[in-house]
């Protein structure tokens, strides 16, 4: 009998034995569960050959045969699938001897290692900068991430931040609201700057890194950079006035403000930056350069009518909620050579929307000025070329704080290719854009998703996924998959550290390509650096002190002969 025939016979007898067990039930007494072919001796199988003729060896007892996947029926241990084999990744030099048992992966392998493919287990790598520069998967080095709170959005961006830093990219977290990234930046040897009342401030008139770069470059290129510095300072002061007023400045007021800034720059000694109180002094003095812009024609009354509204708004900045933070010199300047920078504004209360908006604008203005200075020095051959990666987490807070933030972020998403930086914007849902005050702001906010090179989705409700599908292009299966990640843990969960079922699961969408579902497993080092629930972490030291105090009270009461009653001591 051929080997193929023996295999078919064995399969038929396996099915017969399994059907017998299934019909009889697990408690039935069966004479033998071992198929007949397995109980045969080698001599019986060989038939009447030379070695098998005559006497035969005695049958030795054999173990009952169990199918690889278990028996059919109740109690049979039947499993529906086999565990996949262990997968290893290696170079062609290391794995060349294993051919043809080595197989390539269909997942992208360019960029920061993010996690494993949810279905195949293959490693998935990616980030906005590497997918734009090296892989050419996307045409815009930007990422937009959406998902419900607590599912690991900041953790995934933290991993990108760490991986990009290892390749020489400079992470810039220009306004850390929780903070989520300060510890990571410190671990990378970067610079953490705190802004807030009693913590530190920013002088919005300080040219910062751009002024230093312009002086270092000199010549025509230096003058061009000085002009850009003037425009940045003008826009920043105008943004502060807009926040205080609640509406934009008038055009003639911006002309007056520009003239005042030019006058200050020419009159301020080298090595010193002017302050906001200096603006008030120049407006009060009324030099000819400023009067010429107001068209006062020598009439002091016309001049005062032209500058008094601006004068009152600047007084509102200095004497109002923004004065302590923006009226003095910069507490800590951004170090252009730092490997990473985080501007921590977590000390500002959530209800203080004006200060939050102003701090965000000032942080972005100062940070992007540093980026422009670095590129200007590189263009002049005075510094190496560097790339930057900016992070804007909790996008909904700055978007609602002031309309100037929307314009600033909108400009950034359109120009980040020319600025040599990638960006990551994180929010909860698309409905955050619908809460903005004007139709133009809402349209600009929706454009963030449309222009993003990468869109990453964590767990979201089904209705939200269907709305997102109109913008990104999601299949029905992708919508159902991401919607399932938004479910909370079951009611029967009793563990202390049970996680939601969708935590660490993300869907990466690029254009019209099918989404890549991944599972991110963080390391112990990442877990120590990034914990967004620190306020909910038990204070072990406080608990121990409370227990020691209670034990001491009970012991003292026992010595005095008192009886312990809940809420009081009685004799």
């Amino acid at each position: 009998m051929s080997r193929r025939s023996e295999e078919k016979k064995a399969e038929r007898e396996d099915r017969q034995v399994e059907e017998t067990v299934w019909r009889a039930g697990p408690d039935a007494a069966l004479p033998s569960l071992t198929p007949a072919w397995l109980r045969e001796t080698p001599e019986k199988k060989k038939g009447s050959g030379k070695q098998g003729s005559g006497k035969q060896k005695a049958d030795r007892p054999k173990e009952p045969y169990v199918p690889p996947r278990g028996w059919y029926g109740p109690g049979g241990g039947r499993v529906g699938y086999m565990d996949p084999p262990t997968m290893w990744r290696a170079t062609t030099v290391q794995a060349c001897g294993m051919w043809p048992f080595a197989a390539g992966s269909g997942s992208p392998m360019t960029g920061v290692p993010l996690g494993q493919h949810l279905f195949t287990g293959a490693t998935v790598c990616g980030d906005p900068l590497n997918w734009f520069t090296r892989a050419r998967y996307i045409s815009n080095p930007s990422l937009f991430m959406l998902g419900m709170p607590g599912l690991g959005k900041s953790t995934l961006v933290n991993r990108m931040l760490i991986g990009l830093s290892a390749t020489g990219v400079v992470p810039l977290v220009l306004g850390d609201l929780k903070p989520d990234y300060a510890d990571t930046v410190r671990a990378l040897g970067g610079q953490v700057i705190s802004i807030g009342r009693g913590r530190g401030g920013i002088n919005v008139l300080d040219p910062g890194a751009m002024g230093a770069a312009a002086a270092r470059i000199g010549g025509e290129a230096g003058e061009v950079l000085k002009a850009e510095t003037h425009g940045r300072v003008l826009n920043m002061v105008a943004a502060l006035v807009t926040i205080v007023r609640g509406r934009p400045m008038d055009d003639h007021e911006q002309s007056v403000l520009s003239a005042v800034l030019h006058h200050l720059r020419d009159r301020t000694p080298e090595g010193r930056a002017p302050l906001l109180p200096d603006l008030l002094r120049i407006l009060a003095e009324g030099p000819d350069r400023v009067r010429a812009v107001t068209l006062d024609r020598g009439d002091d009354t016309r001049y005062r009518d032209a500058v008094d509204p601006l004068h009152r708004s600047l007084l509102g900045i200095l004497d109002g909620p923004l004065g302590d933070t923006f009226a003095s010199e910069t507490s800590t300047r951004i170090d252009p050579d730092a490997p990473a920078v985080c501007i921590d504004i977590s000390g500002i209360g959530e209800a203080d929307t004006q200060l939050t908006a102003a701090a965000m604008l000032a942080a972005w203005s100062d940070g992007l000025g540093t980026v422009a200075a670095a590129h200007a020095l590189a263009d002049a051959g005075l510094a190496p070329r560097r790339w930057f990666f900016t992070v804007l987490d909790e996008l909904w807070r700055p978007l609602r704080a002031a309309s100037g933030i929307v314009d600033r972020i909108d400009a950034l998403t359109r120009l980040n290719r020319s600025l040599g930086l990638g960006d990551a914007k994180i929010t909860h849902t698309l409905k955050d854009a619908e809460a903005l005050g004007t139709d133009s702001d809402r349209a600009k906010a929706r454009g963030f998703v449309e222009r993003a090179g990468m869109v990453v989705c964590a767990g979201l409700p089904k209705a939200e996924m269907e709305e997102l599908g109109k913008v990104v292009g999601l299949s029905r299966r992708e919508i159902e998959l991401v919607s399932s990640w938004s479910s909370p843990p079951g009611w029967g969960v009793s563990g202390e550290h049970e996680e939601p079922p969708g935590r660490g699961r993300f869907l990466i969408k690029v254009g019209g390509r099918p989404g890549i579902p991944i599972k991110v497993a963080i390391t112990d080092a990442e877990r120590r650096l990034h914990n967004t629930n620190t306020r909910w972490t038990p204070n072990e030291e406080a608990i121990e002190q409370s227990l020691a105090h209670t034990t001491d009270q009970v012991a003292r009461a026992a010595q005095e002969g008192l009886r312990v009653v809940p809420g009081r001591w009685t004799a």
Side-chain angles (χ1 to χ4, degrees), residues 477-552:
R477 183 178 180 183
E478 291 171 344
I479 292 175
E480 296 291 342
L481 177 65
V482 179
S483 301
S484 66
W485 297 340
S486 63
S487 302
W491 293 110
V493 174
S494 58
E496 295 183 359
H497 302 288
E498 297 293 339
E499 295 184 348
R503 178 171 294 177
R505 288 172 168 81
F506 303 93
L507 180 71
I508 303 175
K509 288 289 294 184
V510 174
R513 292 188 177 97
I516 305 173
I518 64 172
K519 167 66 176 176
V520 179
I522 63 174
T523 63
D524 292 337
E526 290 174 306
R527 190 175 290 108
R528 288 192 300 269
L529 290 174
H530 182 67
N531 181 12
T532 58
N533 297 323
T534 53
R535 295 290 176 88
W536 295 95
T537 303
N539 189 338
E540 302 295 342
E541 182 179 356
I543 294 174
E544 292 178 0
Q545 291 178 358
S546 178
L547 290 175
H549 179 68
T550 304
T551 304
D552 182 63

Side-chain angles (χ1 to χ4, degrees), residues 325-484:
T325 307
F326 301 103
S328 58
E329 295 184 357
T330 301
S331 56
T332 305
R333 286 189 175 185
I334 294 178
D335 182 5
D337 298 325
V341 176
C342 173
I343 299 181
D344 180 7
I345 62 173
S346 61
I348 303 175
E350 292 189 7
D352 201 343
T353 56
Q354 282 192 346
L355 185 55
T356 299
M360 290 290 296
L361 282 172
W364 277 90
S365 178
D366 200 11
L368 295 183
T370 303
V371 172
H375 289 315
L377 290 173
D379 293 340
L382 300 176
R385 178 74 64 189
R386 295 197 297 172
W387 294 342
F388 299 86
F389 179 62
T390 60
V391 177
L392 179 56
D393 203 346
E394 299 293 338
L395 182 64
W396 62 273
R397 279 191 63 185
L399 284 181
R400 297 180 186 179
S403 59
I405 292 282
V406 181
D407 294 328
R408 173 74 63 174
I409 301 172
D410 181 64
L412 175 66
T413 57
R414 296 177 186 274
L415 301 175
N416 53 358
R417 287 184 298 175
S418 60
L419 291 175
L421 59 86
D423 70 276
K425 295 177 286 293
I426 310 172
T427 189
H428 295 152
T429 68
L430 283 179
K431 294 180 181 178
D432 293 334
E434 302 300 325
L436 299 180
T438 63
D439 292 337
S440 61
D441 285 350
R442 286 191 288 269
K444 293 172 186 175
R446 285 192 295 268
F448 297 159
V449 186
E450 297 172 353
R451 291 192 301 273
M454 299 171 61
V455 177
V456 180
C457 305
L460 285 169
K462 187 174 181 179
E464 182 68 23
M465 288 299 299
E466 290 176 348
E467 289 295 325
L468 182 62
K470 298 176 182 178
V471 180
V472 179
L474 298 168
S475 67
R476 178 56 52 183
R477 183 178 180 183
E478 291 171 344
I479 292 175
E480 296 291 342
L481 177 65
V482 179
S483 301
S484 66

Side-chain angles (χ1 to χ4, degrees), residues 241-263:
V241 174
T242 300
I243 291 172
V244 172
R245 289 182 177 180
R247 63 175 180 83
M249 291 178 60
D250 296 329
D251 54 351
H252 70 275
E253 290 180 319
Q254 294 193 28
S255 300
V256 171
L257 182 59
S258 177
V260 172
L261 291 175
H262 278 300
H263 183 83

Side-chain angles (χ1 to χ4, degrees), residues 203-205 237 240 274-280 314 317-318 326-327:
N203 177 16
V204 294
L205 305 185
V237 178
L240 292 182
L275 302 174
L276 281 179
D278 296 330
L279 287 180
L280 296 175
L314 292 174
I317 294 175
L318 294 176
F326 301 103

